[in-house]
Amino acid sequence: VLLLLVVAAATWVAFRPSAKSSPAGPEGVPLSGAPNLAPASTTLDGQPVGAIRCVTESEEVVKLHTHTYVSVFVNGEERRLPGGVGITQPWFVEKYPTGVFYDVGARNCLYWIHTHTADDIVHVEAPAKGVFTLGQLFAIWNQPLSSTQVGPAKGNVVVFVNGKRIKGNIDSVPLLDKATIQIDVGQPEVPFQPKSFKVTGQCGQGTNSCAAPAK
């Protein structure tokens, strides 16, 4: 019995997220210290993804503003979504004591689905209500997403939304406001890690509130 307990404890430690707290970043959410899953620079260069457009600072109209926490584990180790996914280059970079914030400026464009900083928060800033998905995020990022691959990571893929294991096509998983999506790639499979977050502080160009209501 003792041996079983020791093995179980060792298995749990193998994929236990770091207990060390990270300082809050520009959005008021702790920045992830994990390696990037993939670089933000693979983002498409402005072509539409279905109905989703890449808009300049002057074109941006925000009637729907939501935030989803997307965490990724590869073979039990955490990977982060970098800031700047869904924002074309040259990035408009704002540097704060709390970290770097990527945004749209006069010389680039921003897709409705994007990340501003390395805190795993995915923003939807759209001109109208709609259903936006994990598949659209990865299409904009120009990274693979399937049942056997997430970005460059390969292996069996399991997705949880607010603790519920998803069955079926993961492309269609919706980016729900205030939801936590966890993606496990490979082994060991990491039990769902709930996240409590509140986005404050910097919200991006064209937005009046970090929690703009749907209209």
Side-chain angles (χ1 to χ4, degrees):
V1 175
L2 179 59
L3 178 60
L4 290 175
L5 289 174
V6 170
V7 171
T11 302
W12 181 74
V13 170
F15 56 70
R16 179 168 58 89
S18 173
K20 183 179 179 181
S21 59
S22 300
E27 298 185 312
V29 177
L31 297 173
S32 172
N36 291 340
L37 173 65
S41 59
T42 62
T43 292
L44 298 178
D45 60 7
Q47 60 267 47
V49 174
I52 298 175
R53 295 176 54 230
C54 191
V55 295
T56 65
E57 179 185 355
S58 62
E59 293 172 329
E60 190 175 13
V61 175
V62 180
K63 297 293 182 66
L64 176 72
H65 192 173
T66 65
H67 307 110
T68 308
Y69 196 106
V70 179
S71 60
V72 181
F73 292 89
V74 176
N75 296 325
E77 296 185 359
E78 189 173 7
R79 294 290 183 268
R80 73 179 182 185
L81 274 60
V85 173
I87 305 174
T88 63
Q89 298 186 55
W91 288 311
F92 180 66
V93 179
E94 301 170 80
K95 295 182 179 180
Y96 298 95
T98 52
V100 177
F101 189 88
Y102 298 89
D103 210 345
V104 62
R107 297 188 297 146
N108 66 338
C109 65
L110 171 146
Y111 287 92
W112 301 345
I113 304 173
H114 56 270
T115 66
H116 284 296
T117 192
D119 56 10
D120 291 329
I121 297 294
V122 174
H123 290 244
V124 172
E125 296 172 22
K129 290 183 66 174
V131 177
F132 300 92
T133 67
L134 196 61
Q136 290 171 324
L137 167 66
F138 276 79
I140 288 167
W141 195 2
N142 201 21
Q143 289 290 334
L145 179 69
S146 71
S147 61
T148 58
Q149 185 171 358
V150 178
K154 296 182 179 181
N156 184 58
V157 176
V158 175
V159 177
F160 300 91
V161 178
N162 292 337
K164 181 179 179 181
R165 188 170 178 144
I166 299 301
K167 297 179 180 179
N169 185 5
I170 61 175
D171 271 2
S172 60
V173 171
L175 297 170
L176 301 174
D177 191 28
K178 301 181 178 65
T180 297
I181 297 174
Q182 179 176 313
I183 306 172
D184 292 351
V185 187
Q187 295 294 329
E189 182 180 310
V190 179
F192 178 72
Q193 307 294 310
K195 300 288 185 180
S196 177
F197 64 93
K198 183 177 181 180
V199 178
T200 60
Q202 300 304 314
C203 302
Q205 299 282 10
T207 61
N208 296 319
S209 168
C210 289
K215 295 181 180 180

Coordinates of all heavy atoms in Angstrom, one line a residue, residues 64-67 177-178 198-200 203 207-214:
L64 N -18.8 43.3 -28.9 CA -18.7 42.1 -28.1 C -17.2 42.0 -27.7 O -16.3 42.0 -28.5 CB -19.1 40.9 -29.0 CG -18.9 39.5 -28.3 CD1 -20.0 39.4 -27.2 CD2 -19.0 38.4 -29.3
H65 N -17.0 41.9 -26.4 CA -15.7 41.8 -25.8 C -15.7 40.7 -24.8 O -16.3 40.9 -23.7 CB -15.2 43.1 -25.2 CG -13.8 43.2 -24.9 ND1 -13.1 44.3 -24.5 CD2 -12.8 42.2 -24.9 CE1 -11.9 44.1 -24.3 NE2 -11.6 42.8 -24.5
T66 N -15.1 39.6 -25.0 CA -15.1 38.5 -24.1 C -13.6 38.0 -23.8 O -12.7 38.3 -24.6 CB -15.9 37.3 -24.6 OG1 -15.3 36.8 -25.8 CG2 -17.3 37.7 -24.9
H67 N -13.5 37.2 -22.7 CA -12.2 36.7 -22.4 C -12.3 35.2 -22.0 O -13.1 34.9 -21.2 CB -11.6 37.5 -21.2 CG -11.6 39.0 -21.4 ND1 -12.4 39.8 -20.7 CD2 -10.8 39.7 -22.2 CE1 -12.1 41.1 -21.1 NE2 -11.2 41.0 -22.0
D177 N -17.2 33.5 -22.7 CA -16.7 34.5 -21.8 C -16.5 33.9 -20.4 O -17.4 33.2 -19.9 CB -17.7 35.7 -21.8 CG -17.2 36.9 -21.1 OD1 -15.9 37.1 -21.1 OD2 -18.0 37.7 -20.5
K178 N -15.4 34.2 -19.8 CA -15.0 33.8 -18.5 C -14.8 32.3 -18.3 O -14.8 31.8 -17.2 CB -16.0 34.4 -17.4 CG -16.1 35.9 -17.4 CD -17.1 36.3 -16.4 CE -17.2 37.8 -16.3 NZ -17.8 38.4 -17.5
K198 N -9.8 37.6 -13.6 CA -10.5 38.9 -13.9 C -9.6 39.8 -14.7 O -8.5 40.2 -14.2 CB -11.0 39.5 -12.6 CG -11.9 40.8 -12.9 CD -12.4 41.4 -11.6 CE -13.3 42.6 -11.9 NZ -13.8 43.2 -10.6
V199 N -10.0 40.1 -15.9 CA -9.2 41.0 -16.7 C -9.5 42.4 -16.4 O -10.6 42.9 -16.4 CB -9.5 40.7 -18.2 CG1 -8.7 41.6 -19.1 CG2 -9.2 39.2 -18.5
T200 N -8.4 43.1 -16.1 CA -8.5 44.6 -15.7 C -7.4 45.3 -16.5 O -6.7 44.7 -17.3 CB -8.4 44.8 -14.2 OG1 -7.2 44.3 -13.8 CG2 -9.5 44.1 -13.5
C203 N -6.7 47.2 -22.0 CA -7.7 46.4 -22.7 C -7.6 46.4 -24.3 O -8.3 45.7 -25.0 CB -9.1 47.0 -22.4 SG -9.5 46.9 -20.7
T207 N -11.2 49.9 -27.5 CA -12.1 49.4 -26.4 C -12.2 50.3 -25.3 O -11.3 51.0 -24.9 CB -11.6 48.0 -25.9 OG1 -10.3 48.2 -25.3 CG2 -11.5 47.0 -27.0
N208 N -13.4 50.5 -24.8 CA -13.7 51.4 -23.7 C -13.7 50.7 -22.3 O -13.6 51.3 -21.3 CB -15.0 52.1 -23.9 CG -15.0 53.0 -25.1 OD1 -14.0 53.7 -25.4 ND2 -16.1 52.9 -25.8
S209 N -13.8 49.3 -22.4 CA -13.9 48.6 -21.2 C -13.3 47.2 -21.4 O -13.3 46.6 -22.4 CB -15.4 48.4 -20.7 OG -15.5 47.4 -19.7
C210 N -12.7 46.7 -20.3 CA -12.1 45.3 -20.4 C -13.3 44.3 -20.4 O -13.0 43.1 -20.7 CB -11.3 45.0 -19.1 SG -9.7 45.9 -19.2
A211 N -14.5 44.7 -20.1 CA -15.6 43.7 -20.2 C -16.8 44.4 -20.9 O -17.9 44.5 -20.4 CB -16.0 43.4 -18.8
A212 N -16.5 44.8 -22.1 CA -17.6 45.5 -22.9 C -18.7 44.5 -23.1 O -18.5 43.4 -23.6 CB -17.0 46.0 -24.3
P213 N -20.0 44.9 -22.8 CA -21.1 44.0 -23.0 C -21.5 43.7 -24.4 O -21.2 44.5 -25.3 CB -22.2 44.7 -22.2 CG -21.9 46.1 -22.4 CD -20.4 46.2 -22.3
A214 N -22.1 42.6 -24.7 CA -22.6 42.3 -26.0 C -23.8 43.3 -26.3 O -24.6 43.5 -25.4 CB -23.1 40.9 -26.1

